[in-house]
């Protein structure tokens, strides 16, 4: 495979000559012969000054709360007329009869079989947006972030919390106002087909839409005089992770052309937009949208470097654009999660390119930098020759009293990329199992495309169909646990348009799907002008077991109504199994474990955890089906200060941190973290370019879905060798000592851990050490442990969270201080919870989410960042439930607490109730040291339900900034 070179050429489009590629100074490289399925020079990217798309110019900043409060200020337009015009244009994208030579092609899609898996649960099912039968169809999208769920449909945006409740003072928002649509000279700007997503790398919301006017004017003075109107791809990006605040909006536009059916995607370094291009014609006016023609001119794609948009997302100084006159319905794959730089797209050939038949599926991969002018393309020009069957147009779907007025093209409706798999959904005719008639079915196609330098292979091509009904408008998404969800509409002569869902598990064959499960039942035949585009299914950014959808059903008024559903599979909770600590990662030479070689700054690496077999053992210490682990991450041999982030999947730009450290300090931190669906973990070292570090990970236990021990929050100090609590006198170097844990009491003789406990979560503090070294906690005494719990220099009171198994015979835990002979240290152990065989809480791992960062402003109504301003000696609380995937029913959370900007040494305590004089500590720190500690903390109850309290017991004038990243919860 090869990437196409970049040159200059002119293209005649719809009678007008457009310069669609720029001339670059560098010579085009000599390209190797391309494989049979790859076309070179299928499209050429160029800077903005030489492309058919133009950026509108100055951006607008819009306050969502303000426009929601004051209502729309834009001129109204007839939504029914807009719908009919767009439907007429989109109907022309249907492929005609195949012109492919009579050769043996790929197999047809396979009918799905039943997997026997249970129906998903729907912990959230609340009413979304609705519309009458005379409006545009339910073109519904949904996106979910750490705290909010956003829904778009036609011309409105609504914002709710993660439980589906509306936020105070934020009713439905007008999209014409959000996008600051121009109405200069009295003309109306018409808009439709919004899309919404949450960018996990930048922690920002992105909304896009199609808009147009039928007015004669110049958007920019340099424009030629237009004849019919202007078409716009509008985009709006939130300035923070709080969608109720300020958004910055702008657009790309075309003169006398319409960009229809837009799609949007974000990569690690690029924002990409695509659309199908139609001509404009006479027939419209300032308040009349009928200037849209039905001549399909192919598609267009635009690529912008995120660095060009800047922190405030101002107008890009440069971008690159290309026209694909031989591709229709070009769709950008949404990355789930965002892990690499390439933009992947799928479209339909329109039969104008050599070797491509009308309806052939084409896969395009874009790489490079727009600002550097290096965007290149790899195009697999005919997947339909040997990989997957050609697209086919199904019949209009039936409903009571006739058919749904809608245009089915067979084009990809929903395109996603996850963990090396590009998948898309489309409509396709099939005869469902048990049926005798051809129905409309949902085609779910999976291409294994981990490398852009290799031809994709068929991973699965499956038809979801039900006896006696038509299945249309399918959308798909991968959950964080690897489960592929599909949501679609079913209707028939006796079934009003209703929504259904099915899912495919990673361990099952691509054809094995759960049975169709009804989500929303239609109440009447739909009377509108078109049922609408496929709903968007959104991966939950925090909960690996969940996806979200605002699925439509026909309402009793003959219109439509959507329901916001959270779909959960495998989220019932996980049980714990403690183990003797085992080292699964040590990148140091000469005997590396897991990975060899240093971690270079800003480059994520992935290593196996589930199924890990220690050297010399025949049995895996961690089973292959483990879903999360507890452990201890240690950094050593770092060449610069920085931090490391552990995440389930690789990301070079993490939104949270795990371990912060200066130069020259061996440092450890406790972790409780979800594993990726394949049992791996990833880590990235964030520091200046060219720096590197070694990493060590010791695992102390694992979680399994549906089995294992359960958790009980508690609180109490059971060891303090300074005051003869648990043990008397300091630990002497290299001599292990045991102390009672199961049945242990605190200084007031209150039982903190019952005798049937099997493991504990706790916070270990070292103080008064006479030499640098480390302490290792193990279930049984060991003077030469293979793992460590806390590393420290001399003169630093330091703490680290932990989860450790209890010796089942004695009820003890042991500790050893590894340092030169004669060295001494005092140890303090504060217990935060314990595990038992039954009767407690189950664990729910989450993708790390930042709940608190006191350096920045708090979010509106407590959503977004939870606390602002440095912490001092006055206790403060923050609501954790209903944020970052933590439900209102959670009893405890796991996470990572980081302190920065302290102007004095001291400690911070995290408690479930307000306590100005706590008897336990969570993190200890000196001045001038960014420091983190993994925590397991109970949430408050009654008046403090769902809250955590923070206190910095110090003197007046001292303060510290706090950061809290949440990694899971117990329920």
């Amino acid at each position: 495979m090869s990437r196409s070179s970049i040159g200059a050429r002119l293209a005649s489009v719809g009678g007008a000559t457009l310069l669609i590629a720029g001339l670059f100074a560098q010579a085009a490289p000599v390209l190797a012969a391309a494989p049979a399925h790859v076309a070179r020079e299928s499209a050429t990217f160029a800077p903005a000054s030489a492309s058919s798309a133009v950026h509108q110019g100055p951006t607008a900043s819009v306050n969502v709360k303000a426009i929601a409060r004051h209502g729309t200020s834009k001129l109204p337009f007839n939504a029914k007329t807009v719908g009919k015009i767009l439907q007429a244009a989109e109907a022309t994208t249907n492929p005609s009869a195949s012109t492919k030579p009579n050769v043996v092609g790929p197999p047809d899609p396979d009918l799905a079989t039943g997997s026997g898996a249970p129906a998903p649960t729907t912990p959230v099912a609340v009413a979304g947006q609705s519309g009458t039968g005379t409006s545009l169809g339910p073109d519904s999208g949904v996106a979910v972030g750490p705290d909010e769920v956003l829904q778009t449909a036609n011309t409105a945006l609504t914002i709710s919390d993660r439980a589906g409740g509306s936020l105070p003072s934020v009713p439905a928002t007008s999209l014409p106002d959000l996008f600051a649509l121009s109405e200069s000279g009295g003309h109306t700007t018409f808009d439709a087909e919004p899309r919404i997503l949450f960018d996990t790398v930048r922690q920002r919301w992105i909304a896009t839409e199609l808009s147009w006017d039928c007015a004669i004017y110049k958007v920019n003075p340099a424009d030629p005089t237009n004849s019919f109107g202007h078409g716009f791809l509008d985009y709006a990006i939130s300035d923070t992770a709080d969608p109720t605040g300020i958004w910055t909006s702008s657009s790309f536009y075309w003169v006398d052309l319409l960009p229809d059916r837009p799609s949007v995607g974000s990569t690690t370094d690029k924002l990409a937009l695509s659309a199908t291009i139609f001509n404009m014609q006479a027939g419209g006016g300032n308040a009349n949208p009928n200037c849209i023609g039905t001549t399909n001119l192919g598609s267009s794609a635009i690529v912008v470097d995120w660095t060009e948009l800047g922190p405030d997302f101002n107008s890009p100084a440069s971008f690159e654009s290309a026209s694909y006159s031989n591709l229709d319905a070009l769709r950008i794959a949404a990355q789930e999660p965002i892990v690499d730089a390439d933009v992947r797209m799928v479209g339909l050939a329109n039969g104008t390119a050599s070797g491509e038949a009308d309806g052939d599926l084409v896969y395009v991969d874009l790489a490079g930098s727009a600002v550097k002018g290096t965007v290149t393309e790899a195009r697999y020009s005919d997947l339909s020759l040997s990989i997957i069957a050609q697209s086919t147009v199904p019949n209009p779907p039936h409903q009571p009293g006739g058919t749904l007025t809608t245009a089915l093209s067979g084009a990809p409706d929903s395109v996603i990329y996850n963990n090396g798999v590009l998948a898309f959904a489309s409509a396709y005719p099939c005869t469902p199992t048990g049926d005798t008639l051809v129905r409309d079915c949902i085609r779910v196609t999976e291409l294994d495309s981990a490398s852009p330098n290799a031809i994709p292979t068929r991973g699965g091509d499956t038809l979801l169909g039900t006896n006696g009904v038509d299945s249309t408008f399918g959308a798909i998404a991968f959950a964080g646990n690897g489960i592929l969800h599909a949501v679609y509409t079913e209707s028939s002569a006796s079934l009003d348009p209703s929504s259904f869902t099915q899912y495919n598990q990673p361990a099952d064959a691509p054809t094995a799907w759960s049975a169709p499960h009804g989500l929303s039942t239609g109440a009447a035949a739909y009377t509108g002008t078109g049922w609408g585009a496929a709903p968007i299914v959104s991966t939950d950014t925090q909960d690996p077991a969940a996806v979200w959808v605002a699925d439509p059903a026909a309402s009793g008024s003959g219109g439509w109504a959507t329901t916001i559903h959270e779909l959960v599979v495998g989220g019932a909770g996980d049980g714990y199994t403690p183990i003797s600590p085992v080292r699964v990662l040590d990148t140091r030479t000469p005997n590396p474990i897991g990975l060899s070689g240093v971690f270079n700054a800003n480059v994520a690496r992935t290593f196996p955890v589930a199924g890990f077999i220690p050297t010399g053992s025949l049995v895996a210490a961690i089973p292959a089906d483990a879903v999360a682990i507890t452990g201890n991450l240690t950094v050593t041999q770092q060449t610069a200060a920085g931090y490391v982030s552990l995440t389930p999947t690789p990301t070079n730009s993490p939104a949270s941190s795990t371990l912060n450290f200066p130069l020259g300090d061996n440092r450890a931190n406790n972790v409780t973290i979800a594993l990726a669906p394949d049992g791996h973990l990833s880590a990235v070292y964030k520091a200046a370019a060219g720096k590197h570090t070694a990493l060590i990970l010791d695992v102390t236990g694992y979680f399994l879905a549906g089995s294992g021990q359960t958790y009980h929050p508690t609180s109490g100090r059971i060891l303090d060798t300074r005051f003869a609590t648990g043990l008397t006198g300091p630990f002497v170097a290299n001599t292990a000592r045991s102390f009672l844990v199961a049945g242990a009491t605190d200084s007031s003789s209150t039982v903190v851990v019952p005798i049937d406990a099997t493991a504990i979560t706790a916070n270990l503090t070292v103080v008064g050490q006479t030499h640098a070294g480390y302490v290792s906690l193990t279930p049984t005494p060991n003077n030469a442990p293979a793992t460590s719990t806390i590393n420290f220099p001399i003169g630093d009171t330091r703490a680290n969270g932990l989860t450790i198994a209890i010796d089942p015979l004695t009820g003890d835990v042991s500790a050893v201080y590894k340092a030169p002979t004669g060295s001494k240290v005092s140890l303090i152990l504060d217990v935060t919870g314990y595990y038992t065989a039954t009767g407690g809480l189950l664990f729910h791992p989450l993708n790390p989410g930042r709940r608190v960062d006191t350096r920045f402003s708090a979010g509106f109504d407590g959503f977004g960042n939870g606390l602002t301003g440095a912490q001092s000696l006055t206790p403060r609380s923050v609501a954790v439930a209903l944020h970052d995937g933590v439900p209102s029913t959670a009893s405890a959370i796991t996470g990572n607490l980081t302190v920065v900007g302290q102007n004095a040494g001291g400690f911070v305590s995290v408690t479930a109730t307000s306590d100005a004089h706590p008897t336990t500590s969570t993190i200890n720190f000196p001045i001038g040291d960014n420091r983190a500690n993994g925590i397991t903390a109970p949430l408050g109850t009654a008046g403090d339900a769902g809250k955590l309290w923070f206190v910095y017991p110090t003197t007046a004038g001292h303060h510290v900034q706090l950061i809290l990243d949440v990694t899971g919860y117990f329920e």
Side-chain angles (χ1 to χ4, degrees), residues 457-822:
T457 58
R458 170 176 159 146
D461 197 9
T462 305
L463 294 168
L464 306 180
T466 301
N467 186 355
V469 303
D470 288 316
S471 301
T472 54
F473 292 116
I476 57 175
F478 282 100
N481 58 13
I483 292 176
L484 178 59
H485 293 257
V487 177
Y488 52 87
T489 295
E490 281 193 0
S491 63
S492 71
S494 59
L495 176 65
D496 298 312
S498 306
S499 61
F500 286 77
T501 185
Q502 294 178 256
Y503 65 87
N504 172 254
Q505 300 181 98
D508 292 337
T511 55
W513 287 70
S514 64
H517 173 69
L519 293 176
S520 301
T521 303
Y526 178 66
T527 61
T529 58
W531 182 240
I536 295 173
V537 183
S538 176
T539 300
D540 195 315
T541 57
Q542 305 301 143
D543 188 347
V547 299
W548 294 70
V549 66
D551 54 272
S555 66
S557 64
W560 54 270
T562 59
T563 302
I564 297 175
H565 277 111
E566 180 187 15
L567 307 179
V568 175
V569 177
D574 308 319
Y576 186 65
T577 301
I579 62 174
S580 294
V582 60
R583 183 153 292 178
V584 301
L585 177 71
D586 188 343
T587 62
R588 300 172 297 177
T589 56
N591 299 306
I593 301 170
L595 289 173
S596 62
V598 297
F599 273 72
N600 291 309
N602 310 309
V603 179
R605 300 175 72 191
T606 299
F607 54 93
V609 177
F612 179 82
I613 301 175
T615 301
S617 174
L618 299 178
V619 179
I622 305 160
D625 55 348
V627 297
I629 56 102
T630 61
N632 198 56
L633 177 69
T634 304
V635 61
T636 185
Q637 300 175 3
Q638 63 269 36
T639 58
Y643 67 90
V644 167
S645 282
L646 275 184
T647 53
T649 54
T651 174
N652 292 337
S653 303
S656 61
S657 61
T658 304
L659 176 59
N660 297 68
F661 46 86
L663 178 65
D665 184 359
N666 296 340
R667 185 168 290 189
N669 196 17
N670 169 55
V671 297
T672 302
I673 190 165
L675 301 177
D678 61 0
H680 285 59
L681 274 179
S682 297
V684 63
Y685 166 43
K686 298 298 291 183
K691 304 302 181 180
H692 56 79
T693 189
L695 290 183
I696 302 165
L697 180 64
D698 299 325
V699 174
T700 60
Y702 57 85
F703 295 91
L704 294 176
S707 65
Q709 298 169 18
T710 57
Y711 186 70
H712 308 257
T714 189
S715 180
R717 179 162 291 179
I718 66 170
L719 178 69
D720 189 339
T721 60
R722 299 172 302 173
F723 305 110
T725 300
L727 288 174
T728 300
F731 275 69
V732 177
N734 307 311
T735 302
R737 299 170 71 190
S738 297
F739 53 94
L740 182 67
V741 174
T745 61
D746 60 17
S747 59
S748 64
S749 300
T750 301
V751 175
V752 177
V753 182
I755 59 173
D756 61 340
T758 59
I760 57 166
T761 60
N763 197 58
L764 177 68
T765 305
V766 296
V767 62
Q769 62 270 34
T770 60
H771 202 281
Y774 67 90
V775 167
S776 180
L777 262 60
T778 53
T780 57
N782 189 343
N783 288 338
T787 59
S788 60
T789 304
I790 185 169
N791 298 68
F792 46 86
I794 192 171
D796 183 0
T797 300
R798 181 172 293 189
N800 193 23
L802 59 90
T803 303
I804 188 72
I806 300 170
D807 187 323
L809 298 178
T810 64
D812 292 346
V813 166
S814 296
V816 63
Y817 168 38
K818 298 299 294 181
T821 302

Side-chain angles (χ1 to χ4, degrees), residues 65 184 201 334 387 640 805-806 846 925 959 970:
K65 289 189 289 291
S184 60
V201 171
I387 301 174
I806 300 170
L846 299 171
F925 47 87
H959 57 78
F970 291 92

Side-chain angles (χ1 to χ4, degrees), residues 178 239 308 362 401 528 578 818 821 913:
L178 177 69
D239 285 4
E308 283 296 281
V362 178
K818 298 299 294 181
T821 302
T913 58

Side-chain angles (χ1 to χ4, degrees), residues 291-302:
C291 60
I292 305 305
T294 57
T295 302
N296 187 342
L297 304 176
S299 298
S300 186
I302 298 168

